[in-house]
Short mmCIF file of all heavy atoms in Angstrom, two decimals:
data_model
loop_
_atom_site.label_atom_id
_atom_site.label_comp_id
_atom_site.label_asym_id
_atom_site.label_seq_id
_atom_site.Cartn_x
_atom_site.Cartn_y
_atom_site.Cartn_z
N ASN A 5 -4.45 4.70 32.88
CA ASN A 5 -4.08 3.99 34.11
C ASN A 5 -2.63 4.29 34.40
O ASN A 5 -1.73 3.67 33.87
CB ASN A 5 -4.29 2.49 33.90
CG ASN A 5 -5.74 2.21 33.56
OD1 ASN A 5 -6.57 2.18 34.44
ND2 ASN A 5 -6.04 2.05 32.28
N SER A 54 6.29 -7.25 24.37
CA SER A 54 6.69 -8.27 25.34
C SER A 54 6.95 -7.63 26.69
O SER A 54 7.28 -6.44 26.77
CB SER A 54 7.93 -9.03 24.86
OG SER A 54 9.08 -8.22 25.03
N ASP A 68 5.65 0.92 17.67
CA ASP A 68 4.63 1.92 17.32
C ASP A 68 4.25 1.89 15.84
O ASP A 68 3.59 2.79 15.34
CB ASP A 68 5.06 3.33 17.73
CG ASP A 68 6.21 3.85 16.87
OD1 ASP A 68 6.74 3.08 16.06
OD2 ASP A 68 6.57 5.04 17.02
N GLN A 73 11.27 -2.87 14.12
CA GLN A 73 11.97 -2.98 15.39
C GLN A 73 11.19 -2.37 16.54
O GLN A 73 10.50 -1.36 16.38
CB GLN A 73 13.33 -2.28 15.28
CG GLN A 73 14.35 -3.09 14.52
CD GLN A 73 15.68 -2.39 14.52
OE1 GLN A 73 15.96 -1.60 13.63
NE2 GLN A 73 16.50 -2.65 15.53
N SER A 80 11.59 0.22 36.66
CA SER A 80 11.85 -0.41 37.96
C SER A 80 10.93 -1.61 38.13
O SER A 80 9.77 -1.59 37.73
CB SER A 80 11.58 0.62 39.06
OG SER A 80 11.28 -0.05 40.27
N THR A 89 0.26 -5.69 29.45
CA THR A 89 0.24 -7.02 28.83
C THR A 89 0.54 -6.89 27.34
O THR A 89 0.54 -5.79 26.78
CB THR A 89 -1.15 -7.65 28.98
OG1 THR A 89 -2.10 -6.79 28.34
CG2 THR A 89 -1.52 -7.81 30.45
N ASP A 115 10.75 6.97 32.96
CA ASP A 115 10.37 7.77 34.12
C ASP A 115 8.91 7.54 34.45
O ASP A 115 8.51 7.49 35.59
CB ASP A 115 10.56 9.27 33.85
CG ASP A 115 11.96 9.61 33.44
OD1 ASP A 115 12.88 8.83 33.79
OD2 ASP A 115 12.15 10.64 32.76
N GLY A 131 0.02 -18.40 13.15
CA GLY A 131 0.31 -18.57 11.73
C GLY A 131 -0.52 -17.59 10.91
O GLY A 131 -1.52 -17.05 11.37
N VAL A 147 4.34 -9.53 11.34
CA VAL A 147 4.42 -9.87 9.94
C VAL A 147 3.43 -9.04 9.13
O VAL A 147 3.74 -8.57 8.03
CB VAL A 147 4.21 -11.40 9.73
CG1 VAL A 147 2.84 -11.86 10.16
CG2 VAL A 147 4.46 -11.79 8.29
N ASP A 183 -17.90 -4.17 -20.45
CA ASP A 183 -17.27 -5.27 -19.75
C ASP A 183 -15.85 -5.48 -20.24
O ASP A 183 -15.28 -6.54 -20.12
CB ASP A 183 -18.09 -6.56 -19.85
CG ASP A 183 -18.06 -7.12 -21.25
OD1 ASP A 183 -17.55 -6.43 -22.16
OD2 ASP A 183 -18.53 -8.25 -21.46
N VAL A 275 9.53 -0.60 -20.19
CA VAL A 275 8.80 0.07 -19.10
C VAL A 275 8.44 -0.94 -18.00
O VAL A 275 8.63 -0.67 -16.82
CB VAL A 275 7.53 0.78 -19.63
CG1 VAL A 275 6.76 1.44 -18.50
CG2 VAL A 275 7.89 1.81 -20.68
N MET A 276 7.96 -2.11 -18.40
CA MET A 276 7.64 -3.15 -17.41
C MET A 276 8.86 -3.46 -16.54
O MET A 276 8.78 -3.53 -15.32
CB MET A 276 7.24 -4.46 -18.10
CG MET A 276 5.88 -4.47 -18.74
SD MET A 276 5.54 -6.18 -19.30
CE MET A 276 4.24 -5.87 -20.48
N ALA A 308 8.17 -20.91 -26.75
CA ALA A 308 7.66 -21.48 -25.49
C ALA A 308 6.99 -22.82 -25.76
O ALA A 308 7.21 -23.81 -25.06
CB ALA A 308 6.70 -20.51 -24.81
N CYS A 341 13.99 -21.71 -17.94
CA CYS A 341 14.86 -20.59 -18.34
C CYS A 341 15.74 -20.12 -17.19
O CYS A 341 16.32 -19.03 -17.26
CB CYS A 341 14.03 -19.44 -18.91
SG CYS A 341 13.22 -19.89 -20.45
N TYR A 359 -8.54 -5.69 -29.19
CA TYR A 359 -7.71 -4.49 -29.34
C TYR A 359 -6.24 -4.80 -29.55
O TYR A 359 -5.43 -3.89 -29.72
CB TYR A 359 -7.86 -3.59 -28.10
CG TYR A 359 -7.68 -4.32 -26.80
CD1 TYR A 359 -6.43 -4.77 -26.41
CD2 TYR A 359 -8.77 -4.60 -25.98
CE1 TYR A 359 -6.26 -5.47 -25.24
CE2 TYR A 359 -8.62 -5.29 -24.80
CZ TYR A 359 -7.37 -5.73 -24.44
OH TYR A 359 -7.20 -6.42 -23.27
N GLY A 411 -18.42 1.47 -30.63
CA GLY A 411 -18.36 2.62 -31.54
C GLY A 411 -17.43 3.69 -31.01
O GLY A 411 -16.63 4.27 -31.76
N ASP A 415 -14.04 5.36 -32.64
CA ASP A 415 -13.86 6.82 -32.68
C ASP A 415 -12.45 7.25 -32.30
O ASP A 415 -11.90 8.19 -32.87
CB ASP A 415 -14.82 7.48 -31.67
CG ASP A 415 -15.99 8.14 -32.39
OD1 ASP A 415 -16.14 7.94 -33.62
OD2 ASP A 415 -16.74 8.86 -31.71
N GLY A 425 0.66 1.33 -26.80
CA GLY A 425 0.56 0.03 -26.19
C GLY A 425 0.59 0.20 -24.70
O GLY A 425 0.87 1.29 -24.20
N VAL A 441 5.75 -14.49 -0.65
CA VAL A 441 4.57 -14.88 0.14
C VAL A 441 3.70 -15.81 -0.71
O VAL A 441 3.40 -15.53 -1.86
CB VAL A 441 3.76 -13.62 0.54
CG1 VAL A 441 2.43 -14.02 1.18
CG2 VAL A 441 4.57 -12.76 1.49
#
Side-chain angles (χ1 to χ4, degrees):
Chain A
N5 300 281
S54 75
D68 70 353
Q73 283 184 270
S80 156
T89 60
D115 303 337
V147 63
D183 70 351
V275 179
M276 287 187 199
C341 294
Y359 50 71
D415 254 10
V441 172

